[in-house]
Amino acid sequence: MARSDQTQTAVLGALSIRPMTGYALREGIRSTLGNFWSESFGQIYPALAELERAAMVERRGAKDTRSSTFAITQAGSARLRELLSDPPQPSKPRNALMLRLFFGRQLGVDACRDLVLQARARAEVQLTELTSARAELEGQSLGEDSPFVLITVLAGEHGARATIAWADEALNELSALEEAALEGDGTPPRAHIPSTMEQS
Amino acid sequence: MARSDQTQTAVLGALSIRPMTGYALREGIRSTLGNFWSESFGQIYPALAELERAAMVERRGAKDTRSSTFAITQAGSARLRELLSDPPQPSKPRNALMLRLFFGRQLGVDACRDLVLQARARAEVQLTELTSARAELEGQSLGEDSPFVLITVLAGEHGARATIAWADEALNELSALEEAALEGDGTPPRAHIPSTMEQS
DNA sequence: AATATCATGTAACATGTTACATGATTGG
DNA sequence: CCAATCATGTAACATGTTACATGATATT
């Protein structure tokens, strides 16, 4: 039936900001919610079709100039508020980076360092993007939605800064690990405590 | 074919630490990797079956005392290193909390505050759990895997602290928003610009 | 005219969860 | 003995991505 409540929520939510084509919906979600949400065409169009059948969205400007946009209806707004109200089910986490680091002993210290450095670089980029996004927000773009959008942008910034700080700490750990390995001769790297570790 | 490389990675990785039953595998993943990974029985058992067929894991102690455990083979270790080596594909983000806050205007300020407070509380709990997990790590439990596990624990701690800091900021924003609404009479809180959002 | 982008959709596949069935072992 | 937990598995379903097909509109 309901091809995912989650997708419906995102679609109705986006349309609550302004009417859009399905295509623009995907673009908007990617560019604006990209840091914490994603939808593919394969979900958006079926979702729109279903919502239209349920009279929660309707097409506007049918064969007018360009193509028709989808607009949220009253029933749709009600449904959206309903969907937003039920508790956010925390999605099962699947962090491929952490999985690799967790089994870092198999992967090797150097590869781990690369991964951490890449993550750090991504976080830096994200941070500058978000900071400029916040600047834009001071402008106009989203009207009354702005304060709420700001809150999500702030979350992204905090997250990015946390990633950067973590990365630096992780790099230290990895270096310490390597040094310990060198000192310890051929013996495998011991944990991070200097302590008294005579080899063999 | 391969019922998810990701699941295979997690299963082989866990077995690289020590041999386990499928049941223990699931428990171990939930308790140890829980903060950034999850697998269900419906994935683990088929994955184990397939890995056994490919001779990457084997059963140990068949009808001995308790039940048989699965152990990683040489081929399995090689495969694991292979899997860990290819780049972590960043999973498409789906943060239900942020989605709700983003559309917070529809949800209402009070409900948003509740959500933020809940998130903050979860982060607090997580932080204390991770801190004690780190203390345990100073002990022995995971041997040579410890330093790598530590890195992932640190990531969790940084993340949790970031969530807490963000939550406090977000709560301030929400309060400010409410005050602005009160001052502004019955009119809904204005962002900054009147804007022209005529539809219909 | 040719190319790029906008736009809508679908089918095949990949992935993942839930609920159920089944039985062994263990502790009270 | 009975209940709880350990243990293995499967089938039905839910969800989600990718690749493709199709055509309109806009740009050069």
Side-chain angles (χ1 to χ4, degrees):
Chain A
M1 310 257 126
R3 186 154 187 91
S4 169
D5 286 355
Q6 302 259 283
T7 295
Q8 284 201 1
T9 310
V11 166
L12 287 174
L15 293 181
S16 82
I17 293 180
R18 62 183 169 79
M20 267 177 268
T21 66
Y23 188 90
L25 212 40
R26 144 80 174 224
E27 264 314 288
I29 288 174
R30 212 169 48 76
S31 67
T32 314
L33 307 181
N35 280 296
F36 54 84
W37 204 262
S38 78
E39 294 289 352
S40 61
F41 286 136
Q43 309 238 155
I44 287 175
Y45 285 115
L48 279 172
E50 201 187 339
L51 288 170
E52 193 178 19
R53 238 180 299 125
M56 291 175 181
V57 306
E58 57 185 23
R59 287 180 139 94
R60 290 277 173 80
K63 53 210 58 166
D64 215 320
T65 33
R66 326 178 155 261
S67 53
S68 60
T69 60
F70 294 88
I72 194 170
T73 65
Q74 278 225 316
S77 288
R79 175 73 176 138
L80 173 59
R81 280 190 292 275
E82 212 176 277
L83 286 169
L84 290 172
S85 293
D86 50 42
Q89 44 182 31
S91 65
K92 310 286 150 95
R94 288 208 132 198
N95 188 328
L97 169 64
M98 289 303 151
L99 191 68
R100 279 159 181 73
L101 293 175
F102 191 93
F103 301 122
R105 186 180 157 214
Q106 309 296 321
L107 182 56
V109 173
D110 286 342
C112 285
R113 199 195 327 268
D114 283 349
L115 288 174
V116 174
L117 283 170
Q118 281 162 31
R120 194 188 191 286
R122 275 196 303 276
E124 294 268 22
V125 170
Q126 199 194 0
L127 187 55
T128 60
E129 282 174 359
L130 286 169
T131 304
S132 77
R134 180 144 61 98
E136 274 180 52
L137 214 55
E138 313 287 317
Q140 68 289 354
S141 43
L142 292 164
E144 295 175 18
D145 290 295
S146 286
F148 298 98
V149 174
L150 173 65
I151 287 174
T152 67
V153 171
L154 288 173
E157 291 184 80
H158 277 278
R161 279 193 294 265
T163 298
I164 292 168
W166 161 78
D168 290 334
E169 231 176 287
L171 290 170
N172 280 340
E173 289 294 331
L174 290 172
S175 296
L177 196 57
E178 215 158 41
E179 280 168 34
L182 290 179
E183 279 177 28
D185 200 29
T187 63
R190 303 294 293 265
H192 56 288
I193 304 180
S195 72
T196 56
M197 292 299 186
E198 284 79 49
Q199 71 272 29
S200 74
Chain B
M1 307 256 131
R3 187 154 187 91
S4 167
D5 285 355
Q6 302 259 284
T7 296
Q8 283 201 3
T9 309
V11 166
L12 287 174
L15 293 181
S16 83
I17 293 180
R18 62 184 168 77
M20 268 177 266
T21 67
Y23 188 90
L25 212 40
R26 143 83 172 222
E27 264 314 287
I29 288 174
R30 213 171 47 77
S31 67
T32 314
L33 308 181
N35 279 296
F36 55 83
W37 205 262
S38 77
E39 295 290 349
S40 62
F41 285 137
Q43 309 240 154
I44 287 174
Y45 284 114
L48 279 172
E50 201 187 338
L51 287 169
E52 194 178 20
R53 239 178 299 126
M56 292 175 179
V57 307
E58 57 183 25
R59 287 181 139 95
R60 290 276 173 80
K63 52 211 58 166
D64 216 322
T65 32
R66 327 176 155 262
S67 52
S68 61
T69 60
F70 294 89
I72 194 169
T73 65
Q74 277 224 317
S77 288
R79 175 76 176 135
L80 173 59
R81 279 190 293 274
E82 213 177 274
L83 287 169
L84 290 173
S85 292
D86 50 43
Q89 44 183 32
S91 65
K92 311 285 150 97
R94 289 208 134 199
N95 188 326
L97 170 63
M98 289 303 151
L99 192 69
R100 279 159 181 74
L101 294 175
F102 191 94
F103 301 122
R105 186 180 158 213
Q106 309 295 321
L107 182 56
V109 173
D110 287 342
C112 286
R113 200 194 328 269
D114 283 349
L115 288 175
V116 173
L117 283 169
Q118 281 162 29
R120 195 189 189 286
R122 275 195 304 275
E124 293 269 21
V125 170
Q126 199 194 358
L127 187 56
T128 60
E129 281 174 358
L130 286 169
T131 303
S132 77
R134 180 144 62 98
E136 273 181 53
L137 215 55
E138 312 287 318
Q140 66 289 351
S141 41
L142 292 164
E144 295 174 20
D145 288 297
S146 287
F148 298 99
V149 174
L150 172 65
I151 286 174
T152 67
V153 171
L154 288 174
E157 290 184 82
H158 276 279
R161 279 193 294 264
T163 298
I164 292 168
W166 160 78
D168 291 334
E169 233 175 285
L171 290 170
N172 280 340
E173 288 293 330
L174 291 171
S175 296
L177 197 56
E178 215 158 40
E179 280 169 33
L182 290 180
E183 279 177 27
D185 199 32
T187 63
R190 292 260 309 271
H192 305 94
I193 302 258
S195 92
T196 53
M197 272 279 190
E198 75 285 6
Q199 55 222 39
S200 85

